[in-house]
């Protein structure tokens, strides 16, 4: 165990507990306690609890992994950073691994050039940040007094996330469902913000997977959520229904303006296809087609990747996914003959009209 103390000669002096190892490994098997705790090394491995009794805990592993157990800074903030993405052989390092509960009176920041993994809870008095250049895996609950941010360059997995204000879960990797990041929700997202259109935002240019159900996202009175993904056919909505039309041809990182005011929305990068289906008809010269047979019926279907958008009604309500309209033709008139049409028939006469 290591303990930082206040010199008797100066009771107001804020004495930090400092552990440094240059490019080497800082490893502690017991507890670490100080008014402030600062740990710097090539790699960090803490097997016991780390406590800052007055101020902050700061850790920087700039050549490898930072692996920690329970941490507590009742009055301050906690920051754990690992800055190096690969070793000399190209192996992935630069991970932050939190095996215990992280508790701070102010903010918690866990940042890595590769993966961030939490195996227990995070409790931040203000902001909670999990920021990974590769994957972010929050296996424990995340609680933030104000905002919670879980961001990654590729895949994200979250369990329960609670925030007094807003929640952002964002993957910026890739440009399609295959190489874009997958965001998997294994627990609820609950944001307390009221009258806020972006109380919860889930953003990915890959897949969105909801393993919880229809109650996976919860927001305050008058607030809404937005879920961005690549395409509906690769998502697993888990019965989370926006009850609004989807917005198409936009990405989370797009600079295009998107009207998502006062409603929950799914927003997709792809664009659906509109297909107009008509039926060929014939009549005898001298007949007025509409008077005798009625108006022509035209079916307009909206699909993506061959699937009618109405298939996704348990996730979003695509008005007009399949509608019936009417059409007219110059050939409807009783005066239309077999010589003034737009196209030739089998016998060579211009008897076919649009």
């Amino acid at each position: 165990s290591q303990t930082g103390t206040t010199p008797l000669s100066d009771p107001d002096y804020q004495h930090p507990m400092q552990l440094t190892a240059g490019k080497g490994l800082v490893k502690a098997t017991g507890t670490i306690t100080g008014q402030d705790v600062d740990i710097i090394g090539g790699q960090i491995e803490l097997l016991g609890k780390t406590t800052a009794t007055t101020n902050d805990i700061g850790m920087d592993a700039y050549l490898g992994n930072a692996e920690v157990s329970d941490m507590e800074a009742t009055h301050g903030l906690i920051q754990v950073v690992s800055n190096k993405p690969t070793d000399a052989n190209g192996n992935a390092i630069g991970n932050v691994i939190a095996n215990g509960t992280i508790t701070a009176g102010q903010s918690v920041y866990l940042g890595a050039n590769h993966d961030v993994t939490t195996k227990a809870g995070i409790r931040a008095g203000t902001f909670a940040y999990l920021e990974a250049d590769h994957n972010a895996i929050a296996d424990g609950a995340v609680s933030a007094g104000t905002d919670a941010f879980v961001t990654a360059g590729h895949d994200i997995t979250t369990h329960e996330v609670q925030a007094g204000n807003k929640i952002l879960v964002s993957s910026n990797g890739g440009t399609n469902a295959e190489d874009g990041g997958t965001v998997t929700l294994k627990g609820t997202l609950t944001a307390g913000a009221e009258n806020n259109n972006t109380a919860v935002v889930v953003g990915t240019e890959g897949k969105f997977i909801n393993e919880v159900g229809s109650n996976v996202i919860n927001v305050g009175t008058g607030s809404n959520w937005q879920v961005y993904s690549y395409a509906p056919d690769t998502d697993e909505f888990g019965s989370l229904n926006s009850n609004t039309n989807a917005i198409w041809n936009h990405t989370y990182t797009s600079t295009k303006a998107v009207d998502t005011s006062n409603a929950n929305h799914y927003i997709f990068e792809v664009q659906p296809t509109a297909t107009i289906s008509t039926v060929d008809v014939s009549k005898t010269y001298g007949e007025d087609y509409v008077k005798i047979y009625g108006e022509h019926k035209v079916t307009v279907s909206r699909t993506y990747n061959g699937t009618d958008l109405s298939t996704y009604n348990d996730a979003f309500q695509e008005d007009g996914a399949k509608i019936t309209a009417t059409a007219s033709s110059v050939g409807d008139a009783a005066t239309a003959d077999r010589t003034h049409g737009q196209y030739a028939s089998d016998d060579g006469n211009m008897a076919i009209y649009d």
Side-chain angles (χ1 to χ4, degrees):
S1 298
Q2 298 292 325
T3 302
T5 61
T6 300
L8 294 177
S9 60
D10 187 357
D12 295 324
Y13 175 68
Q14 300 298 305
H15 185 71
M17 167 54 64
Q18 295 180 324
L19 298 175
T20 61
K23 297 181 179 180
L25 168 67
V26 175
K27 182 174 182 177
T29 59
T31 61
I32 298 174
T33 304
Q35 291 181 326
D36 286 289
V37 177
D38 297 318
I39 300 176
I40 301 173
Q43 300 181 63
I44 297 172
E45 183 179 355
L46 306 182
L47 303 181
K49 182 175 181 179
T50 302
T51 303
T53 58
T54 304
N55 294 313
D56 307 328
I57 297 174
M59 299 186 186
D60 186 355
Y62 60 92
L63 292 177
N65 298 334
E67 185 168 3
V68 301
S69 296
D70 292 341
M71 304 178 70
E72 183 174 2
T74 305
H75 305 289
L77 58 85
I78 295 175
Q79 177 173 296
V80 182
V81 177
S82 181
N83 289 315
K84 192 171 180 66
T86 59
D87 62 17
N89 298 317
N91 299 313
I93 54 175
N95 303 302
V96 168
I97 305 163
N99 294 313
T101 301
I102 312 297
T103 305
Q106 298 181 32
S107 64
V108 172
Y109 177 86
L110 306 181
N113 275 6
H114 199 251
D115 294 347
V116 171
T117 302
T118 64
K119 300 181 180 180
I122 291 180
R123 302 167 188 161
T126 55
F127 298 95
Y129 300 89
L130 277 69
E131 184 176 299
D133 284 1
H134 194 237
N135 297 329
I137 305 102
D139 282 338
V142 177
S143 176
T146 50
D147 296 343
F149 303 86
V150 183
T151 63
H154 204 253
D155 295 342
I156 296 175
T157 300
T158 66
H159 285 71
E160 182 181 6
V161 180
Q162 293 183 328
N165 191 39
K166 299 171 66 173
I167 295 173
L168 171 66
V169 180
S170 170
S171 167
N172 296 321
T175 57
N176 58 52
E178 285 68 39
D179 64 13
T182 297
V183 173
T184 303
L185 304 183
K186 294 179 176 287
T188 56
L189 307 181
T190 303
E194 296 184 352
N195 302 312
N196 192 303
N197 194 50
T198 57
V200 174
V201 175
V202 178
T204 177
E205 295 182 10
K207 302 176 185 178
F208 167 70
I209 298 176
N210 169 15
E211 295 187 359
V212 178
S214 59
N215 65 334
V216 66
I217 299 179
N218 305 280
V219 296
T221 302
S223 289
N224 300 296
W225 53 261
Q226 300 173 15
V227 174
Y228 292 77
S229 69
Y230 180 71
D233 63 337
T234 56
D235 290 346
E236 297 177 22
F237 299 106
S239 300
L240 176 65
N241 200 323
S242 69
N243 293 304
T244 61
N245 290 354
I247 295 176
W248 303 88
N249 197 31
H250 288 83
T251 69
Y252 175 63
T253 57
S254 173
T255 58
K256 299 177 183 178
V258 180
D259 181 12
T260 57
S261 58
N262 301 319
N264 302 319
H265 277 290
Y266 283 103
I267 303 168
F268 301 110
E269 184 173 342
V270 299
Q271 183 80 298
T273 301
T275 303
I276 300 175
S277 302
T278 61
V279 178
D280 293 337
V281 295
S282 61
K283 74 178 188 69
T284 302
Y285 174 73
E287 292 180 338
D288 186 311
Y289 184 90
V290 175
K291 288 182 179 180
I292 298 174
Y293 304 104
E295 295 180 316
H296 302 283
K297 300 297 182 184
V298 177
T299 301
V300 181
S301 299
R302 297 184 68 202
T303 63
Y304 174 71
N305 212 13
T307 300
D308 195 289
L309 296 186
S310 61
T311 302
Y312 301 108
N313 281 346
D314 63 342
F316 51 89
Q317 309 302 309
E318 196 66 18
D319 293 342
K322 193 169 188 178
I323 62 174
T324 300
T326 59
S328 61
S329 169
V330 177
D332 290 340
T335 55
D337 56 28
R338 294 179 53 77
T339 60
H340 293 87
Q342 283 81 35
Y343 311 100
S345 60
D346 291 342
D347 61 9
N349 292 313
M350 302 297 287
I352 300 176
Y353 292 80
D354 284 331

